Amino acid sequence: MEQIYLAGGCLWGVQEFIKYVPGVISTEAGRANGSAQPTENKTAQSDSTQSDYDGYAECVQIEFDPSITSVTILMEHLFEIIDPYSVNKQGVDVGEKYRTGVYSTNAEHLTEAKHYISSRDDADRIAVEVLPLTNYVASDDIHQHHLSHFPEDHHLCHIPWDLLHKYKSQ
């Protein structure tokens, strides 16, 4: 199994969409590449999920089976749900934390993601960052699989409901 971190605006929608993609084993909502470190006590005021914005991107940690899917295929799926030309904005969510990105500790994943982007006809317009993962903090429990538990909050998500569950029945 391998891990990659995808950012595509609000993490609720990204997690709800990507968890049904064939080859995805598990997902966790979180924050990538901020400066804060996770703490043992999730309720502590110093916990990065309870503190001021520290430069992170909302993301989803994805564990996937490389014998079933690949970084390229996961990139294709990410591009189904994002505006790849938008900087720090997806749908109504605006701000640096809603930027799009691909993060990994595996250099081969980053190479494959960059190759996917560079091979597209619109590569010069794409605003998706591809960077090494320097830090990851899991989101609080209320954000894990949020749209599965609270589908009434879908109106806060930029991804249409039918697209959100495109792979659910497979």
Side-chain angles (χ1 to χ4, degrees):
M1 298 313 125
E2 298 181 17
Q3 285 184 340
I4 195 164
Y5 302 76
L6 300 180
C10 176
L11 54 78
W12 293 349
V14 176
Q15 184 176 37
E16 186 67 20
F17 173 80
I18 206 77
K19 71 183 182 180
Y20 298 113
V21 168
V24 171
I25 306 305
S26 66
T27 61
E28 180 179 66
R31 299 172 173 193
N33 289 7
S35 59
Q37 296 296 319
T39 62
E40 293 292 324
N41 179 1
K42 284 278 191 185
T43 61
Q45 186 61 27
S46 63
D47 189 321
S48 65
T49 62
Q50 303 298 318
S51 59
D52 292 335
Y53 178 70
D54 69 350
Y56 65 82
E58 288 197 5
C59 74
V60 176
Q61 177 191 65
I62 299 161
E63 183 179 7
F64 67 97
D65 183 340
S67 71
I68 298 173
T69 193
S70 67
V71 171
T72 297
I73 292 169
L74 292 172
M75 292 290 292
E76 290 171 354
H77 290 303
L78 177 65
F79 275 58
E80 286 185 79
I81 59 171
I82 63 168
D83 174 353
Y85 316 124
S86 184
V87 177
N88 298 335
K89 181 181 187 304
Q90 290 295 313
V92 299
D93 294 316
V94 178
E96 189 179 355
K97 72 179 182 176
Y98 298 114
R99 68 188 181 271
T100 53
V102 178
Y103 313 99
S104 182
T105 57
N106 182 331
E108 291 176 15
H109 291 171
L110 302 176
T111 299
E112 191 173 341
K114 288 176 184 176
H115 177 73
Y116 171 80
I117 291 170
S118 68
S119 69
R120 290 176 52 109
D121 293 338
D122 59 352
D124 60 327
R125 297 174 45 216
I126 293 175
V128 177
E129 65 183 14
V130 179
L131 296 170
L133 181 74
T134 57
N135 164 306
Y136 173 77
V137 177
S139 292
D140 295 332
D141 289 346
I142 190 71
H143 297 294
Q144 302 302 329
H145 305 282
H146 188 87
L147 292 179
S148 290
H149 299 297
F150 304 99
E152 65 275 13
D153 285 347
H154 175 256
H155 70 281
L156 301 170
C157 178
H158 72 280
I159 304 168
W161 189 260
D162 290 346
L163 178 56
L164 206 57
H165 293 125
K166 180 178 180 178
Y167 301 99
K168 188 174 182 177
S169 61
Q170 293 184 0

